[in-house]
Amino acid sequence: MPELPEVETICQGLRAALVGRQVAYAEVLRSESIAYPKPAAFSSCLTGHHILGVKRRGKYLLFELDHGATLVVHLGMSGRLLLKQKSNGIGVHLRVRILLDDRSELHFEDVRVFGRLWYIPKGKMCEEIILGLSKLGLEPLEHFTGQDLKAGFVGRRQAIKPALLDQRVVAGLGNIYADEALFKAKIHPTIGVDDLSYADWQRLAYAIKDVLMISINQGGSTLRDYTNAQGVNGSYQHYAWVYGRVNEPCRVCRCPIERIRLSGRSCHFCPSCQPWSKRKMLKTGSK
DNA sequence: ACTAGGTCCTGGTTGC
DNA sequence: TGCAACCAGGACCTAG
């Protein structure tokens, strides 16, 4: 599942390979993968553009094109962007194929078809077309403090774990790194956002930055589908504190890691390092 | 305004 | 062995 570290890793790899390249042709193999404009228009609009830069915002990848246009990609659950020297047949999950002027190809593969691509023409802002992008909150790797984090949840009473998945507050966190950051900050995932102390928010902001930076240095996490643009797996999963480690001993206290269901998502934590405490807990759908 | 839960989608896993 | 049911989850939508 590509979250901020995985998208950042892909972004860095693609920037090195794609800046200066020209799109020779774009082929859409699955129309649902194109969010804007219509698939046929997407192909014709993209053709001929030079790629000037590659950036990341939250979990979105933005390819800056010449003549003021932008190609935006969200990988969703299982999307991958792979650089190929030439396509050896069409893979089952290949959704969009972009041929470049040096005969290399950029393949968008996506098993579960939750990923989307947008072509934003000159004169339009990405935020006009992509609602999710317009609402994105703080970039945790930029200036980002406990105060900022606390301010993002003012007036809310949700449990902290599902709250952290809200991209309108923190851009780029997903299920893996939300669990990891809460462990590192020693905060139980079901504690309400209105019940965290200032010290909690400070520890959490620091923990979010820390787990994201460590994962970027490991090339992200590979749990099932993810690889970088060169097809190489990430390795953060080998160092994860709690995510994907249900019933395994905590790396700090040896207490078995637990998994509950919270707002429809799996949630991993150490019941000893992240104690319930005396503070108010929110009702959860845990089983 | 906020929150929980359903939906999309497919391949892997589990259970009978 | 084979089939059906279930599970994973990011973003969006709807209902309460």
Side-chain angles (χ1 to χ4, degrees):
Chain A
M1 302 124 236
E3 303 180 27
L4 188 152
E6 291 76 29
V7 178
E8 179 63 28
T9 303
I10 292 168
C11 179
Q12 291 172 10
L14 290 179
R15 188 182 299 136
L18 292 182
V19 170
R21 296 271 65 82
Q22 186 179 23
V23 176
Y25 182 65
E27 183 183 9
V28 176
L29 294 99
R30 177 96 182 209
S31 58
E32 290 93 332
S33 296
I34 306 302
Y36 186 88
K38 295 273 187 272
F42 175 89
S43 299
S44 59
C45 288
L46 198 55
T47 299
H49 275 293
H50 281 89
I51 299 167
L52 304 181
V54 186
K55 294 189 296 186
R56 179 194 60 75
R57 173 80 173 98
K59 300 176 197 171
Y60 292 85
L61 278 164
L62 296 97
F63 297 78
E64 190 188 354
L65 306 175
D66 57 359
H67 307 301
T70 312
L71 169 68
V72 183
V73 179
H74 193 296
L75 298 169
M77 277 286 299
S78 57
R80 303 203 290 177
L81 280 169
L82 293 166
L83 285 162
K84 304 258 184 175
Q85 283 317 303
K86 61 175 181 183
S87 61
N88 299 314
I90 301 296
V92 187
H93 304 119
L94 179 60
R95 310 304 186 196
V96 180
R97 183 174 161 220
I98 298 173
L99 286 71
L100 301 163
D101 59 343
D102 64 350
R103 298 186 158 208
S104 66
E105 300 186 4
L106 181 63
H107 285 195
F108 176 70
E109 298 183 0
D110 189 13
V111 173
R112 275 163 272 187
V113 205
F114 286 0
R116 291 291 180 269
L117 284 75
W118 296 258
Y119 171 86
I120 312 296
K122 179 188 178 183
K124 285 200 189 287
M125 299 288 288
C126 296
E127 290 79 4
E128 289 176 53
I129 310 283
I130 309 170
L131 199 60
L133 188 60
S134 72
K135 292 181 177 174
L136 279 183
L138 297 164
E139 277 293 332
L141 298 184
E142 292 173 9
H143 181 71
F144 175 71
T145 64
Q147 184 93 51
D148 296 328
L149 200 51
K150 184 178 194 295
F153 295 109
V154 162
R156 294 171 60 167
R157 300 170 51 88
Q158 208 178 6
I160 183 62
K161 164 62 194 293
L164 284 178
L165 300 179
D166 186 343
Q167 302 298 300
R168 296 171 299 182
V169 180
V170 186
L173 273 191
N175 212 34
I176 299 172
Y177 301 106
D179 282 359
E180 292 291 292
L182 285 170
F183 173 85
K184 198 134 197 173
K186 301 192 182 300
I187 295 171
H188 194 283
T190 63
I191 289 175
V193 293
D194 55 337
D195 218 36
L196 291 176
S197 68
Y198 185 67
D200 289 332
W201 288 114
Q202 283 187 307
R203 283 200 320 283
L204 185 53
Y206 176 81
I208 289 169
K209 284 192 274 195
D210 196 48
V211 295
L212 294 175
M213 286 304 299
I214 289 171
S215 183
I216 289 170
N217 289 333
Q218 295 296 330
S221 302
T222 295
L223 292 160
R224 189 170 291 175
D225 304 296
Y226 170 77
T227 69
N228 71 9
Q230 283 73 30
V232 177
N233 287 350
S235 57
Y236 179 83
Q237 69 280 6
H238 302 307
Y239 305 92
W241 296 101
V242 289
Y243 192 87
R245 299 191 65 242
V246 62
N247 292 330
E248 290 180 35
C250 171
R251 297 190 197 281
V252 173
C253 72
R254 314 301 292 170
C255 182
I257 300 300
E258 290 187 11
R259 181 171 67 182
I260 57 172
R261 242 184 139 65
L262 205 47
S263 299
R265 294 287 175 256
S266 67
C267 175
H268 309 71
F269 67 100
C270 170
S272 170
C273 293
Q274 297 162 267
W276 274 50
S277 84
K278 304 163 199 76
R279 290 179 291 198
K280 180 175 59 182
M281 310 298 298
L282 292 181
K283 280 178 80 173
T284 73
S286 58
K287 54 180 177 185

